[in-house]
Amino acid sequence: MSAPATFLDKLFDQGLLYDSGVDGLYGRSAVFEDVISRFEQLALNLGKDEISEAMVFPPGMPVPDFKTSGYMKNFPQLAGTVHSFCGNDHDHMGLIQCMAAGEDWTANQKITDIALTPAACYPLYPILARRGKLPEEGAYVALQSYCFRHEPSKEPTRMQMFRQREYVRVGTQEQTIAFRETWKQRGVEIMELLQLPHEVDVANDPFFGRAGRMMGVSQREQELKFEMLVPVNDGAGPTACMSFNYHMDNFGKAWGITLADGTPAHTACVGFGLERLALALFRHHGLDTAQWPEGVRKALWG
Ligand code: AMP
Ligand code: ZN
């Protein structure tokens, strides 16, 4: 007897996602993309009166900024860097021979200036830093980026390439903490509108190794990260579909972003996992969007 179809199998069968043969690397159908852009519109409407600007980033960022972010130090297991062939004619011959013989052909692949963006807000901070001191009102940016995390999985919600839509607040401690509280409440409102079961809980990032575990504990104790959890996957605990993060002045110090008074800026961000939110909707309301509850259709399609 064959194993029952998983949620991922059903998404492939329905033509919502396209399998590539690599876990966590999928094509998206027009229907899947439509749900994502409708969700983005809903989230953008909620913040439209507050933002100072909006940006969309490509899936790569400069290696020096990637290093400054601390991602390589704290999450080397998830990080990805872009490599390219940097050999001469002789090396090229060797490359072709190795590929033809099925041998390792990567000897002349050298790191480029680009790392794959692991979190949508990282490319923003160096841009703000280069502008000089922030105005009194700080910055309030809406942004979107494809992100990469090396975490192959059969759980459809754990992709290697996925998009985050974020709002980022850069300013004083009071401004950033108030921003995060507002978005925790708005996150709940969104989940109610979308009729998805949800729960907000304190969380930590998956810092690498033994020392990393201590960092995770400290992050939780200081309540620096909260997540919006939704049950999505077969036989697994709930999945984080949004996160609400306060970085204190760590990024302000790391990148040299300063307030009008010259002190390091505080930063906070709310991240929406766009594929995860779409998957949660398909999980709870069915694979045919025409059959979704009227209230949900109204919230997304108007
Ligand atoms: P984080 O920076 O880990 O808080 O991620 C922000 C949001 O991105 C999470 O709340 C998820 O919704 C989404 N996300 C994180 N990792 C993945 C992944 N591997 N696949 C899909 N979405 C993800
Ligand atoms: Zn962020």
Side-chain angles (χ1 to χ4, degrees):
M1 213 175 72
S2 59
T6 64
F7 183 41
L8 184 59
D9 294 331
K10 290 179 196 161
L11 292 161
F12 291 154
D13 290 348
Q14 184 79 11
L16 286 166
L17 293 180
Y18 302 100
D19 194 5
S20 72
V22 173
D23 289 341
L25 187 68
Y26 309 122
R28 283 87 165 137
S29 69
V31 173
F32 195 88
E33 286 301 293
D34 187 37
V35 170
I36 284 187
S37 53
R38 301 287 170 171
F39 173 83
E40 287 193 282
Q41 212 43 61
L42 176 68
L44 279 169
N45 278 340
L46 282 176
K48 67 177 186 313
D49 297 332
E50 288 139 24
I51 60 168
S52 51
E53 60 196 304
M55 305 177 183
V56 173
F57 293 114
M61 63 182 288
V63 166
D65 294 331
F66 174 68
K67 274 161 68 187
T68 303
S69 75
Y71 202 84
M72 195 66 208
K73 203 169 73 185
N74 293 324
F75 312 99
Q77 77 282 20
L78 299 176
T81 43
V82 177
H83 289 61
S84 207
F85 174 75
C86 294
N88 55 25
D89 274 351
H90 175 76
D91 301 324
H92 182 218
M93 292 297 293
L95 166 77
I96 290 169
Q97 281 164 7
C98 285
M99 287 203 299
E103 292 166 4
D104 178 20
W105 52 270
T106 59
N108 282 294
Q109 291 294 108
K110 298 275 183 309
I111 192 163
T112 64
D113 294 337
I114 299 175
L116 294 171
T117 304
C121 59
Y122 287 180
L124 168 69
Y125 303 121
I127 293 174
L128 293 182
R130 279 196 290 275
R131 290 181 181 169
K133 285 182 184 169
L134 285 167
E136 290 291 340
E137 66 276 15
Y140 198 135
V141 181
L143 52 85
Q144 198 238 56
S145 179
Y146 252 100
C147 298
F148 171 84
R149 293 186 188 172
H150 184 230
E151 45 183 357
S153 168
K154 293 277 183 213
E155 284 183 359
T157 49
R158 194 168 294 285
M159 297 186 175
Q160 297 201 64
M161 290 190 161
F162 57 94
R163 272 158 298 174
Q164 290 179 351
R165 176 154 279 289
E166 287 201 14
Y167 281 106
V168 185
R169 186 76 172 105
V170 185
T172 62
Q173 183 174 34
E174 294 71 37
Q175 284 168 332
T176 47
I177 288 177
F179 160 90
R180 191 172 69 151
E181 284 315 303
T182 299
W183 277 101
K184 266 160 69 181
Q185 285 163 23
R186 287 182 183 169
V188 169
E189 282 166 29
I190 292 175
M191 298 319 253
E192 283 167 0
L193 269 175
L194 298 179
Q195 301 180 23
L196 293 171
H198 59 275
E199 183 194 357
V200 177
D201 202 2
V202 69
N204 63 273
D205 290 308
F207 294 95
F208 186 77
R210 199 178 310 150
R213 272 197 288 283
M214 295 308 299
M215 294 172 79
V217 169
S218 153
Q219 190 185 23
R220 267 176 187 270
E221 278 171 3
Q222 296 178 79
E223 300 198 333
L224 298 179
K225 186 178 192 81
F226 287 87
E227 288 178 334
M228 177 68 73
L229 301 167
V230 185
V232 184
N233 291 305
D234 303 307
T239 299
C241 291
M242 303 177 187
S243 72
F244 311 92
N245 306 287
Y246 172 47
H247 317 117
M248 302 188 283
D249 58 0
N250 292 335
F251 288 155
K253 282 181 179 153
W255 270 290
I257 311 170
T258 45
L259 299 176
D261 68 5
T263 59
H266 289 240
T267 62
C269 70
V270 46
F272 301 103
L274 295 178
E275 285 79 4
R276 285 190 179 176
L277 283 153
L279 290 166
L281 286 160
F282 284 112
R283 176 84 218 202
H284 289 279
H285 303 318
L287 300 184
D288 179 2
T289 55
Q291 304 298 322
W292 286 4
E294 209 182 306
V296 177
R297 286 196 56 85
K298 191 161 176 0
L300 293 172
W301 282 273

